């Protein structure tokens, strides 16, 4: 009896073991079963799709290249990992898991291989030895101002900028390189003046390179104070699509405190008092008042004074 019981127990354990093997095999097969994934790859900063991006399974040669619309599709297993790489961008590694669609945003890489404009040619940062400062459009437009010169304040080492007037439309900002004077402005290879550069649309500028010391010698005597190389955007359509960008800003300036102005009667009284107290004019002959009683009488009788400060400066 006991022997039969042991035989039944062994048979039950064998059956249970076989069931676990079947379940585990089904799970493993389902987990390793390949599925079709798809998605797009785009620039994280601009949102534009990227063509020619390599999307492949990590550790293998299986993968695809994104098409003209930045799209891709191929078969992978859920337990695999895909690697997304593109020249000039930071490589990303993504686990597939249960996901089917992937919208991948690549971050532009900033490295020593970045190309810098150095006069009549370009050079990589890794091989750059001259005194050159660079700035791209993304760093320029982060500051909002009607004058692109003011937008460069504090962004290029060695460049000093001071605004001499707050008058609307006045482009008289002072600029010098290390205190020596105004640099030579070269826009897309053509020498220009500071006024032309001040009125440029910052959205049209691709990059700015400031050449200092010996790095500016290639431009001759006019570059004694340095050279500012401005490269504008090429306007080349990407992916064959029309790209329209609109940027607008509204700026309002207001005095923190405006002293109250005097009335017309008070002004005439003070002006006469100033004339009376001028010892140089009243030394020999007493001066005639600037404003007579006839000038003052209408305001004494109630004629209102006009508040020019209120008319010129509007409160916001």
């Amino acid at each position: 009896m006991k022997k039969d019981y042991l035989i039944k127990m062994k048979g039950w354990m064998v059956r249970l073991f076989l069931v676990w093997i079947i379940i585990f095999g089904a799970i493993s097969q389902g987990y390793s079963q390949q599925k079709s994934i798809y998605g797009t790859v785009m620039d994280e900063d601009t949102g534009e799709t990227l063509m020619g991006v390599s999307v492949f399974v990590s550790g293998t040669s299986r993968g695809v290249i994104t098409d003209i619309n930045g799209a891709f599709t191929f078969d992978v297993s859920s337990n695999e990992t895909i690697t997304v790489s593109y020249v000039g961008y930071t490589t990303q590694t993504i686990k597939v898991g249960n996901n089917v669609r992937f919208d991948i945003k690549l971050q532009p890489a900033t490295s020593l291989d970045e190309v810098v404009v150095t006069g009549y040619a370009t050079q990589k940062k890794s091989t750059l030895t001259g005194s050159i400062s660079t700035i791209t459009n993304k760093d320029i437009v982060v500051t909002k101002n009607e004058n692109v010169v003011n937008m460069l304040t504090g962004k290029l080492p060695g460049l000093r900028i001071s605004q001499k007037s707050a008058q609307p439309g006045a482009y008289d900002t002072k600029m010098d390189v290390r205190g020596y004077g105004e640099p030579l402005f070269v826009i897309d290879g053509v020498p220009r003046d500071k006024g032309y550069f001040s009125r440029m649309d910052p959205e049209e500028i691709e990059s700015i390179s400031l050449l200092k010391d010996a790095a500016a010698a290639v431009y001759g005597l006019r570059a004694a104070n340095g050279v500012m190389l401005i490269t504008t955007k090429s306007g080349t359509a990407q992916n064959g699509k029309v790209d329209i960008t609109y940027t607008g800003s509204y700026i309002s300036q207001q005095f923190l405190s405006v002293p109250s102005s005097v009335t017309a009667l008070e002004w005439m009284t003070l002006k006469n008092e100033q004339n009376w107290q001028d010892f140089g004019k009243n030394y020999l002959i007493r001066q005639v008042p600037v404003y007579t009683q006839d000038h003052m009488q209408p305001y004494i009788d109630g004629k209102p004074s006009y508040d020019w400060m209120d008319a010129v400066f509007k409160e916001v």
Side-chain angles (χ1 to χ4, degrees), residues 130-141:
S131 181
I132 299 177
S133 304
T134 61
I135 188 172
T136 59
N137 177 267
K138 180 177 66 175
D139 298 319
I140 297 173
V141 299

Side-chain angles (χ1 to χ4, degrees), residues 182 184 216-227:
E182 191 174 288
L184 171 66
V218 66
Y219 284 96
L221 183 62
R222 296 180 61 188
N225 298 328
V227 180

Side-chain angles (χ1 to χ4, degrees), residues 110-246:
T110 303
S111 65
L112 292 178
D113 292 331
E114 183 180 344
V115 176
V116 178
V117 180
T118 58
Y120 295 105
T122 58
Q123 190 174 348
K124 289 184 178 180
K125 273 190 175 181
S126 56
T127 59
L128 189 62
T129 58
S131 181
I132 299 177
S133 304
T134 61
I135 188 172
T136 59
N137 177 267
K138 180 177 66 175
D139 298 319
I140 297 173
V141 299
V142 71
T143 304
K144 302 302 180 184
N145 196 285
E146 72 280 358
N147 187 345
V148 69
V149 175
N150 290 337
M151 298 171 74
L152 299 179
T153 303
K155 297 178 182 178
L156 287 171
L159 182 64
R160 303 195 311 177
I161 296 175
S162 57
Q163 187 173 345
K164 297 189 295 183
S165 172
Q167 179 182 353
Y171 293 89
D172 57 349
T173 302
K174 183 181 178 182
M175 173 190 295
D176 64 70
V177 179
R178 294 175 175 171
Y180 291 112
E182 191 174 288
L184 171 66
F185 296 89
V186 180
I187 303 175
D188 290 335
V190 181
R192 300 284 188 179
D193 57 14
K194 189 186 68 175
Y196 184 94
F197 173 63
S198 300
R199 289 168 173 79
M200 287 186 65
D201 181 2
E203 294 290 345
E204 296 179 354
I205 299 175
E206 180 69 30
S207 64
I208 295 177
S209 296
L210 180 62
L211 311 185
K212 296 165 283 187
D213 302 334
V218 66
Y219 284 96
L221 183 62
R222 296 180 61 188
N225 298 328
V227 180
M228 181 169 286
L229 300 178
I230 299 95
T231 304
T232 60
K233 295 180 180 179
S234 61
T236 304
Q238 299 186 11
N239 303 327
K241 299 179 180 179
V242 178
D243 185 15
I244 300 176
T245 303
Y246 170 77

